[in-house]
């Protein structure tokens, strides 16, 4: 056993195919240069799992059987921290140790915004705790542990978020097939706009599920179109064709609107980005709030970012992260 271990994992943007990916359609997803850092230490008390989040200003302790005792903040954090506790318990069992663990989360990824913050934290937690307890975990095992933990918080997660946080780079992901790395021969000038409206991914996924149940013949055709967008998107990334990528983002967003997962705040940011000359813009992730992404000509990035701010959002320019999960120390 080591006495301390630190790991990190990247946030992500879904370029094409969110929601459709839940129904075994492909999605294109890219890791971005914001990371969640997790530090794991051997705890003072046997079998006690203590979790602390700096961003949430909250902490609490789980007994090994899952009882939660708040330290900072209230009982509501029990559910938020539960995936981390589940991961810690699983890895403790694999190690055969009976030690306590203290886990500290330090993340610069906006929470509940569609950038995969919870998956990045889960992936980094698995890596940090595995390394602490000397349990050798492959990337595939880290992915599976994080996906199992995500099942606690989301309804029917596709697995796209833990996949990209684990493997990094730019991927095509399909539930039944897993990941395929994509060749990207262009710098993508991407601006992220945050509506700063938190939402629950599971609620948005349930909404789409309900619609699909009532109108399968329509929704399945929309998902066929989503799949065609992903195929053309992969080609455009390989060819470095920003114009085509922008068009495809606009079409993808229109399909998501048809599914009812956009709202006024999202539309305001998207309209502003397009008027400022973005080649394309769409919501990213589950919708209902959270973030949009806009693609711009290389020289126009600042103008698009400014326009998003004027429309009431927060914005930042983002770059690709080639590396997925990594041990920091
Ligand atoms: O949690 P978010 O907002 O990054 O959304 C994940 C993408 C969805 O396709 C909406 C859900 C999923 O499990 O794939």
């Amino acid at each position: 056993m080591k006495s301390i271990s630190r790991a990190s994992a990247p946030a992500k943007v879904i370029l094409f195919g969110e929601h459709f990916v839940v129904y075994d359609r492909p999605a294109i997803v890219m890791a971005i240069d914001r990371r969640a850092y997790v530090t794991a230490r051997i705890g003072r008390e046997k079998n006690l799992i203590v979790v602390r989040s700096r961003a949430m200003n909250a902490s609490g302790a789980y007994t090994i059987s899952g009882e939660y005792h708040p330290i900072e903040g209230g009982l509501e954090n029990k559910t938020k921290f539960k995936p981390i506790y589940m991961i810690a318990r699983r890895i403790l069992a694999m190690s055969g140790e009976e030690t306590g663990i203290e886990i500290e989360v330090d993340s610069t990824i906006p929470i509940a915004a569609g950038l995969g913050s919870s998956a990045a934290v889960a992936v980094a937690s698995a890596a940090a705790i595995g390394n602490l307890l000397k349990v050798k975990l492959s990337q595939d095992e880290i992915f599976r542990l994080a996906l199992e933990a995500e099942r606690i918080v989301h309804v029917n997660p596709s697995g796209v978020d833990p996949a990209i946080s684990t493997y990094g780079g730019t991927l095509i992901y399909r539930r039944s097939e897993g990941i395929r790395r994509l060749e990207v021969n262009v710098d993508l000038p991407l601006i992220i706009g945050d509506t700063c409206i938190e939402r629950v991914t599971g609620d948005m996924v349930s909404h789409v599920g309900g619609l699909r149940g009532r109108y399968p013949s329509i929704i399945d055709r929309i998902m066929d179109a989503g799949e065609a967008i992903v195929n053309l998107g992969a080609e455009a990334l390989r060819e470095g064709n920003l114009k085509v990528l922008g068009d495809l983002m606009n079409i993808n967003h229109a399909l998501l609107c048809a599914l009812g997962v956009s709202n006024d705040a999202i539309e305001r940011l998207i309209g502003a980005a397009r008027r400022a000359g973005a080649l394309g813009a769409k919501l990213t992730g589950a919708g209902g709030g959270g973030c949009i992404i806009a693609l711009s000509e290389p020289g126009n990035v600042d103008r698009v970012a400014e326009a998003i701010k004027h429309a009431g959002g927060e914005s930042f320019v983002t770059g690709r992260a080639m590396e997925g999960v990594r041990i920091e120390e």
Side-chain angles (χ1 to χ4, degrees):
M1 268 193 300
K2 298 162 68 98
S3 59
I4 183 166
S5 162
R6 188 168 149 89
S8 72
K12 63 93 186 41
V13 289
I14 297 181
L15 294 176
F16 304 108
E18 51 273 269
H19 284 290
F20 315 141
V21 70
V22 173
Y23 300 93
D24 204 27
R25 307 295 186 135
I28 296 182
V29 61
M30 189 179 96
I32 59 171
D33 54 9
R34 288 211 172 191
R35 303 181 75 86
Y37 292 85
V38 173
T39 306
R41 293 184 181 81
I42 295 300
R44 279 177 286 268
E45 272 189 65
K46 219 170 130 179
N47 279 329
L48 203 65
I49 297 165
V50 178
V51 184
R52 172 160 193 272
S53 160
R54 281 193 186 196
M56 286 161 52
N57 241 324
S59 59
Y62 291 87
T63 62
I64 207 74
S65 60
E67 274 171 53
Y68 181 75
H69 302 279
I71 301 169
E72 300 158 87
L75 259 181
E76 71 279 3
N77 296 315
K78 177 180 181 176
T79 324
K80 293 189 182 146
F81 289 150
K82 198 166 175 196
I84 304 174
Y85 151 74
M86 296 291 284
I87 289 169
R89 203 179 70 171
R90 280 291 304 275
I91 301 176
L92 262 176
M94 289 159 92
S95 75
E97 303 281 354
E98 288 191 347
T99 173
I101 307 179
E102 291 175 10
I103 300 150
E104 183 160 322
V105 178
D106 187 8
S107 168
T108 55
I109 308 169
I111 293 171
L115 301 180
S117 136
S118 59
V121 168
V123 165
S125 297
I129 299 165
N131 188 46
L132 180 79
L133 299 178
K134 292 262 186 273
V135 175
K136 265 215 159 329
L137 295 171
S138 66
Q139 282 196 328
D140 291 353
E141 285 166 319
I142 289 175
F143 163 66
R144 273 194 294 274
L145 277 167
L147 175 57
E148 265 175 47
E150 278 242 302
R151 289 212 172 96
I152 303 164
V153 272
H154 294 333
V155 181
N156 192 16
S158 69
V160 67
D161 284 14
I164 189 66
S165 277
T166 303
Y167 302 105
T170 308
L171 307 173
I172 286 204
Y173 176 84
R174 196 197 281 261
R175 267 183 115 140
S176 59
E177 291 171 6
I179 61 158
R180 185 156 59 81
R181 284 208 180 273
L182 273 183
E183 193 185 325
V184 181
N185 291 315
V186 64
D187 258 345
L188 288 183
L190 268 187
I191 302 100
I192 294 185
D194 191 348
T195 62
C196 301
I197 299 173
E198 290 194 13
R199 78 287 176 283
V200 178
T201 298
D203 293 349
M204 305 312 293
V205 170
S206 299
H207 166 80
V208 173
L211 210 58
R212 183 167 178 266
R214 292 195 296 284
Y215 309 106
S217 59
I218 302 173
I219 304 300
D220 285 348
R221 295 298 79 73
I222 291 176
M223 295 202 184
D224 289 344
E227 185 157 351
I229 289 173
V230 165
N231 293 334
L232 291 176
E235 213 174 288
L237 284 167
R238 196 166 38 245
E239 288 167 356
N241 193 330
L242 294 182
K243 169 83 177 71
V244 170
L245 288 167
D247 287 345
L248 295 174
M249 282 168 65
N250 288 334
I251 302 169
N252 194 156
H253 182 69
L255 299 182
L256 290 165
C257 285
L259 294 183
V261 295
S262 188
N263 64 11
D264 288 353
I266 292 173
E267 291 308 315
R268 249 195 323 275
L269 302 196
I270 287 190
R274 288 181 185 152
R275 281 192 299 278
L279 297 167
K282 65 182 275 292
L283 69 83
T284 188
C291 288
I292 69 145
I293 48 173
L295 182 70
S296 144
E297 302 276 14
N300 199 32
V301 171
D302 292 340
R303 191 163 159 238
V304 173
E306 263 313 300
I308 291 171
K309 276 192 198 138
H310 277 295
E314 282 181 5
S315 67
F316 58 96
V317 178
T318 191
R320 267 193 283 163
M322 301 314 291
E323 224 182 335
V325 63
R326 70 171 180 239
I327 298 291
E328 302 281 342
E329 64 179 74

